[in-house]
Amino acid sequence: MNLISCKNCKTVYEVKDFTPFQCQICDSIVTKRDYNSITIAWAFILSALFIAIPALTQPIMMITKLGNDNHKTIFQGVVYFWIHKDYFISIVIFIASIFIPLFKIFGLIFIYLSLKTKKKINNKLKLFIFEFIKYIGKYSMIDIYVTAILASVAVLGQLFSIQGDVAITSFAFMVIFTSLSAHYFDTRIIWDE
C-alpha cells in the first residue's frame, strides 16, 4: 500500500498504485506529483523578479502639500523617516516593503534552483523556507493597504492629498506573482530527490 495526499485539501489516501483519481472531499484530481508546477512557479517568480525593479525604484506615493507634488520611492520613505528619527516606522517600512518581498523572491528562487542543481540541500530546510515564505506572504500587501487608506483619508484638494504613484501597480503585481508562484509549486517535488 502507498500513501498519497490531495494537494488541494491535504486529505491522505491509501492506494495500491499512483493512478490519478478524484478526491472524495474536494472533487479535485489527485496525482502523485504535479510536475508542471515547477515550470509555472518559475514563470511567476521570474515575472515577480522583473517587475520588482520598477516597484522598488519608481515612486510609490505622491504627496501634494500646498500645490507642490512630491514623489517618493519606498527607499526614500525609509530614509525620510530615519532622518526624522522615526526609527520604528522606518524599520517597519524597510522590513515590510523591501526585505520581505525580496526575501520571498530570492527564497523561492533558491528552492527552485536547488531542485535543479546537483548540490544537496536539506529538504527540511527547503520546506521550512517555503512555509515561512507562505506565512509572511500575507503581510506583503501592507504598502498597498497603507497607500489606499492614506489616499482615502487625506484628501484636501490642493492643500494636502496622497495618491498612489507609478510603482504601486508594479508592487501589487510583484506581490501577486510571488504568491502565485508559491501557490502553484507542488512541495512534494522537494522529496523526490
Side-chain angles (χ1 to χ4, degrees):
M1 287 295 187
N2 299 309
L3 296 177
I4 188 170
S5 68
C6 175
K7 183 169 180 348
N8 196 30
C9 68
K10 309 295 187 226
T11 303
V12 177
Y13 295 97
E14 194 172 314
V15 295
K16 292 180 183 177
D17 60 5
F18 291 113
T19 56
F21 62 93
Q22 192 166 5
C23 178
Q24 297 170 357
I25 305 296
C26 67
D27 292 330
S28 65
I29 302 298
V30 180
T31 59
K32 181 179 178 186
R33 300 289 183 266
D34 185 5
Y35 290 104
N36 290 334
S37 74
I38 190 71
T39 306
I40 296 168
W42 266 114
F44 279 122
I45 203 63
L46 290 176
S47 299
L49 180 64
F50 289 126
I51 208 161
I53 296 166
L56 296 175
T57 60
Q58 297 296 314
I60 197 161
M61 196 179 295
M62 181 179 71
I63 302 169
T64 304
K65 290 182 191 175
L66 300 173
N68 294 324
D69 293 340
N70 189 358
H71 303 269
K72 294 276 187 196
T73 65
I74 295 172
F75 191 71
Q76 287 172 334
V78 170
V79 171
Y80 173 83
F81 285 113
W82 191 267
I83 289 171
H84 288 87
K85 302 202 185 321
D86 290 325
Y87 302 120
F88 178 74
I89 294 173
S90 178
I91 291 169
V92 167
I93 292 172
F94 177 78
I95 290 172
S97 306
I98 297 172
F99 179 75
I100 288 177
L102 290 177
F103 177 80
K104 285 174 56 182
I105 290 171
F106 289 113
L108 289 173
I109 289 173
F110 168 76
I111 292 168
Y112 302 160
L113 281 176
S114 72
L115 297 174
K116 296 294 180 191
T117 61
K118 296 191 188 304
K119 187 174 183 182
K120 294 294 178 192
I121 299 167
N122 188 348
N123 289 339
K124 289 182 181 180
L125 173 65
K126 288 188 269 191
L127 196 58
F128 173 77
I129 292 170
F130 184 80
E131 292 299 327
F132 182 69
I133 287 169
K134 282 192 83 166
Y135 175 75
I136 63 174
K138 56 188 152 199
Y139 302 107
S140 297
M141 289 294 266
I142 196 165
D143 286 38
I144 308 301
Y145 298 139
V146 168
T147 303
I149 290 169
L150 289 175
S152 64
V153 172
V155 178
L156 297 173
Q158 289 296 318
L159 209 54
F160 183 78
S161 68
I162 297 174
Q163 298 175 347
D165 214 335
V166 178
I168 200 82
T169 307
S170 300
F171 191 86
F173 276 114
M174 176 183 67
V175 171
I176 290 168
F177 288 156
T178 307
S179 297
L180 285 171
S181 178
H183 175 74
Y184 278 102
F185 178 65
D186 187 358
T187 55
R188 299 175 296 181
I189 295 173
I190 292 174
W191 302 101
D192 286 345
E193 296 183 308

